[in-house]
Amino acid sequence: MNKDSKIFVAGHRGLVGSAILKNLKTKGYTNFVLRTHMELDLTDQQAVHDFFAVEKPEYVFLSAAHVGGIMANSRYRADFIYENLMIQNNVIHASYLNKVKKLLFLGSTCIYPGNAPQPMPEDCLLASPLEYTNEPYAIAKIAGIKMCESYNLQYGTNYIAVMPTNLYGPNDNFNLETSHVLPAMIRKIHLGKCLSEGNWDAVRKDLDGRPVENVSGDASESEILELLAKYGIYPGKVELWGTGEPLREFLWSEEMADASVYVMEKVDFADVCPATGDIRNTHINIGTGKELTIREVASLIREKVGFTGNIVFDSSKPDGTMRKLTDVTKLHALGWHHTIEVDEGVERLYNWYLQHL
């Protein structure tokens, strides 16, 4: 990419997209075409094709997606498969029709089988059944990988798919109904601390900034206590889903952005094709290659937040996949390594959360 190349960051307000845009600006790129969801609905095929025909971006970062944690994945299965398939089908095909020079498609390591070998290499894709709870989302993302591969093989395009591990960072989703595990735990433990200290001003400020089920800080104390109890948040106690035993790998979103820009600048489809045999599994895992139990992460957050109450795990709720550590051998061979560890990242994210209440 040249510094003045026209770049479309799809999903530029989201966790990854905002970090990619920031990274590109820091590296001196200046020519961006950006649209909010209100300005361009990526599930609308005609709108997407009209946008590409007019704007003619040279490079595309496809970070827009319908995402969420285990609760959202279980409850809104149709939304997850439909919206993700529509977004990626429209953007990838429009990129081909309008001669985009290079596209980066972002997926997730939940594409791998529920019983995948650990750590998970790229070539274990489709080796056995998926984890049931996130199957619709995973199938959509697998389709995106195969779409990139297939367009490259048939049309000679240069589309690269990257599969990040669990991400967290600035602009994360802290919605208690739909967020991923780490930001959800940060908010729940923060609210538990506020309740424990009787700091109702802080509780109301939190709910005013991010209402839960349309309940804001204007509600009565009894209404707020009843609502938060539904999500396992009490004075002196926070309940979390599952046993706490599943292992998870976490990557700071700004590092994911740096890896994405690195791949766009330095890696081509030819670089990830096998030397012999069928061309498949050309996607790249993006992660740290390190893992912690959910219980360990909760304890780390408890320490950073300063919560002195109890953390209780509700084993009647699902754990999801017990372990999904990425094999980052391919990524390291291509020349990129992470630098921010989870303890530093949790502190950064909690400080960001407090600053954006």
Side-chain angles (χ1 to χ4, degrees), residues 38-299:
M38 291 296 292
E39 293 168 332
L40 175 61
D41 179 358
L42 295 175
T43 66
D44 182 334
Q45 185 180 61
Q46 189 61 56
V48 172
H49 282 262
D50 290 346
F51 164 78
F52 271 81
V54 171
E55 294 293 345
K56 298 289 185 183
E58 297 172 80
Y59 296 88
V60 173
F61 288 86
L62 180 42
S63 57
H66 184 76
V67 299
I70 188 170
M71 184 189 296
N73 270 277
S74 299
R75 188 175 294 172
Y76 307 114
R77 298 175 75 85
D79 293 348
F80 275 85
I81 193 164
Y82 172 78
E83 293 189 23
N84 285 299
L85 283 171
M86 291 298 288
I87 289 168
Q88 64 206 35
N89 286 353
N90 292 340
V91 173
I92 293 171
H93 190 62
S95 294
Y96 158 65
L97 292 177
N98 291 277
K99 298 180 170 52
V100 164
K101 292 178 181 177
K102 197 169 184 181
L103 176 144
L104 191 80
F105 170 70
L106 285 88
S108 162
T109 51
C110 75
I111 61 167
Y112 293 119
N115 64 348
Q118 300 294 322
M120 303 178 295
E122 286 86 354
D123 62 9
C124 73
L125 182 66
L126 297 176
S128 57
L130 298 163
E131 167 65 31
Y132 181 74
T133 53
N134 60 19
E135 190 178 65
Y137 177 75
I139 286 173
K141 289 300 179 180
I142 292 168
I145 292 172
K146 294 304 175 184
M147 194 169 181
C148 288
E149 280 182 3
S150 299
Y151 275 57
N152 291 341
L153 292 171
Q154 183 172 343
Y155 297 128
T157 51
N158 194 12
Y159 301 161
I160 310 293
V162 293
M163 300 297 120
T165 187
N166 298 286
L167 300 173
Y168 68 107
N171 299 309
D172 217 328
N173 172 19
F174 291 89
N175 183 314
L176 294 179
E177 295 176 271
T178 61
S179 66
H180 284 114
V181 60
L182 198 149
M185 286 197 291
I186 284 179
R187 187 178 186 192
K188 289 174 82 167
I189 292 170
H190 167 74
L191 284 167
K193 175 191 176 185
C194 295
L195 289 178
S196 297
E197 295 173 349
N199 189 348
W200 279 96
D201 287 344
V203 172
R204 294 182 187 282
K205 183 178 180 182
D206 182 283
L207 290 174
D208 280 337
R210 296 178 176 86
V212 178
E213 295 183 12
N214 296 316
V215 175
S216 67
D218 294 333
S220 68
E221 288 188 10
S222 60
E223 287 175 314
I224 291 173
L225 285 170
E226 182 180 355
L227 172 74
L228 295 183
K230 181 178 174 181
Y231 291 92
I233 305 165
Y234 306 89
K237 181 179 77 170
V238 170
E239 290 180 352
L240 302 175
W241 275 30
T243 63
E245 299 310 311
L247 287 151
R248 288 293 180 269
E249 172 186 19
F250 294 98
L251 179 67
W252 184 246
S253 61
E254 292 178 328
E255 292 216 287
M256 174 60 203
D258 190 67
S260 297
V261 175
Y262 179 90
V263 168
M264 187 68 107
E265 290 179 326
K266 300 181 182 298
V267 180
D268 292 317
F269 181 61
D271 299 323
V272 290
C273 288
T276 59
D278 295 336
I279 295 177
R280 56 160 56 108
N281 303 328
T282 56
H283 57 288
I284 306 166
N285 288 338
I286 309 288
T288 66
K290 300 180 180 182
E291 60 189 348
L292 295 168
T293 66
I294 295 298
R295 189 180 297 275
E296 288 171 328
V297 177
S299 178

Side-chain angles (χ1 to χ4, degrees), residues 20-31:
I20 287 173
L21 183 59
K22 179 182 175 182
N23 187 280
L24 287 165
K25 288 179 177 178
T26 300
K27 289 179 174 164
Y29 292 95
T30 58
N31 189 6

